[in-house]
Amino acid sequence: MAFRGKNAVVTGGAGGIGLQVARQLLVAGVSKLAIIDIQDNLEEFVKLRAAHPTQSVMIIKMDVANKKGVEATYEEIKKTFGNIDIVVNVAGIFNDKDVQRTLLVNLGGIINSTLSALQYMSKENGGNGGLVLNMSSVVGLDPMFIIPVYGATKAGIINFTRCLGNDKFYQRSGIKFATVCPGATMTDMFTNFTEKIIFPETSDETYKILDRLSKQSATDVARCMLNVLEKEKNGAVYVIEGKRIIPLEIKPLWTGKEPAL
């Protein structure tokens, strides 16, 4: 994918990996960029606009868990931009003690943003097609006992995105889908970690696990995510670890599946 002249949307773009993805997209030459986030980060937004004065940077404060709000947000973006070519869904939280909020933001937010974007990106509706990249996590692939709720949402993101990353759907819509699963990344999402886990008695073991994990920067993850966008491989799932993208071959396990339509 050539980014120059394209219009992009990033959810969760006010900080962490999402902000770095927004920066990388602007550096790569996107014409118009919309950032959707419930958080404010005025200082960083001012820097983005100052660094890219010829590109449009649209900031929309919206909770991705709010389905109707997200739908209205995409309608506004469509009216302002004319078309949407790229959507990168990064928005997420960690708080296993607040089960409903974690489900609504992490999985619900990805679904809300993706389905809202499809209405304007699909060639069936007059769009140009494009690419949707959804961020999951390695804990959506390999269970980690200390974060079962967070892990469940990340596993759901992988399956949701793979369902849409079907060539039959692409032939109709012109939209490709991919999933990235970063390993441990240095962001503030896991601040006060042990206060947010549902088994506080495992706190000592939890810190031992966290200390042993090899960690990467949000900038490195964002660069890898742009590399994934460039590959444009429909339905692909990648692990991001140590500045590398590692494609996964996920083989079918269910043998009773009907032949493809």
Side-chain angles (χ1 to χ4, degrees):
M1 170 175 282
F3 298 106
R4 192 160 300 281
K6 294 292 196 299
N7 299 334
V9 178
V10 178
T11 70
I17 295 171
L19 178 60
Q20 297 304 323
V21 170
R23 285 176 175 156
Q24 295 294 326
L25 284 169
L26 288 167
V27 169
V30 296
S31 177
K32 300 171 184 176
L33 173 69
I35 294 174
I36 303 172
D37 204 310
I38 195 171
Q39 303 295 330
D40 287 319
N41 196 344
L42 182 60
E43 182 178 350
E44 291 297 336
F45 295 153
V46 168
K47 289 179 183 178
L48 280 181
R49 286 176 167 146
H52 303 277
T54 63
Q55 295 155 277
S56 174
V57 180
M58 182 180 185
I59 310 297
I60 303 173
K61 187 173 183 179
M62 177 54 60
D63 181 357
V64 293
N66 180 346
K67 180 177 181 291
K68 291 189 180 298
V70 171
E71 290 171 348
T73 294
Y74 272 94
E75 183 178 5
E76 181 183 353
I77 294 170
K78 165 65 176 176
K79 288 178 180 177
T80 304
F81 285 5
N83 63 281
I84 301 169
D85 305 298
I86 304 165
V87 173
V88 183
N89 287 310
V90 181
I93 63 170
F94 170 72
N95 188 346
D96 267 25
K97 281 189 175 179
D98 193 340
V99 174
Q100 290 303 313
R101 181 66 180 160
T102 299
L103 292 172
L104 288 172
V105 173
N106 290 6
L107 181 55
I110 291 275
I111 293 173
N112 291 340
S113 177
T114 300
L115 297 184
S116 296
L118 300 194
Q119 298 301 312
Y120 303 105
M121 295 175 70
S122 176
K123 290 182 177 179
E124 292 183 303
N125 298 332
N128 297 329
L131 201 151
V132 176
L133 179 60
N134 289 333
M135 194 176 79
S136 177
S137 167
V138 290
V139 300
L141 295 163
D142 295 326
M144 182 175 284
F145 80 93
I146 57 177
I147 47 175
V149 179
Y150 180 83
T153 64
K154 295 302 181 177
I157 291 167
I158 296 169
N159 206 334
F160 170 72
T161 312
R162 289 183 66 214
C163 285
L164 292 174
N166 180 286
D167 286 338
K168 294 293 184 183
F169 182 71
Y170 171 70
Q171 290 167 14
R172 297 193 346 254
S173 68
I175 304 170
K176 294 181 179 180
F177 297 83
T179 314
V180 290
C181 302
T185 306
M186 292 179 288
T187 72
D188 61 2
M189 178 180 289
F190 296 106
T191 303
N192 301 323
F193 189 88
T194 55
E195 296 176 11
K196 301 173 183 177
I197 58 177
I198 55 179
F199 304 117
E201 65 274 13
T202 67
S203 293
D204 290 344
E205 181 63 24
T206 295
Y207 276 118
K208 290 178 183 178
I209 292 172
L210 293 177
D211 288 342
R212 289 197 300 265
L213 294 176
S214 59
K215 300 175 182 64
Q216 58 197 342
S217 73
T219 300
D220 289 336
V221 172
R223 287 173 178 159
C224 288
M225 290 173 74
L226 258 70
N227 195 332
V228 168
L229 287 169
E230 289 173 337
K231 291 180 180 300
E232 293 191 84
K233 187 175 180 182
N234 194 27
V237 180
Y238 301 89
V239 167
I240 297 178
E241 192 71 60
K243 301 183 182 181
R244 297 179 301 144
I245 56 172
I246 305 164
L248 299 184
E249 183 182 359
I250 303 178
K251 296 181 179 180
L253 298 174
W254 179 29
T255 58
K257 189 175 180 180
E258 292 183 7
L261 296 175

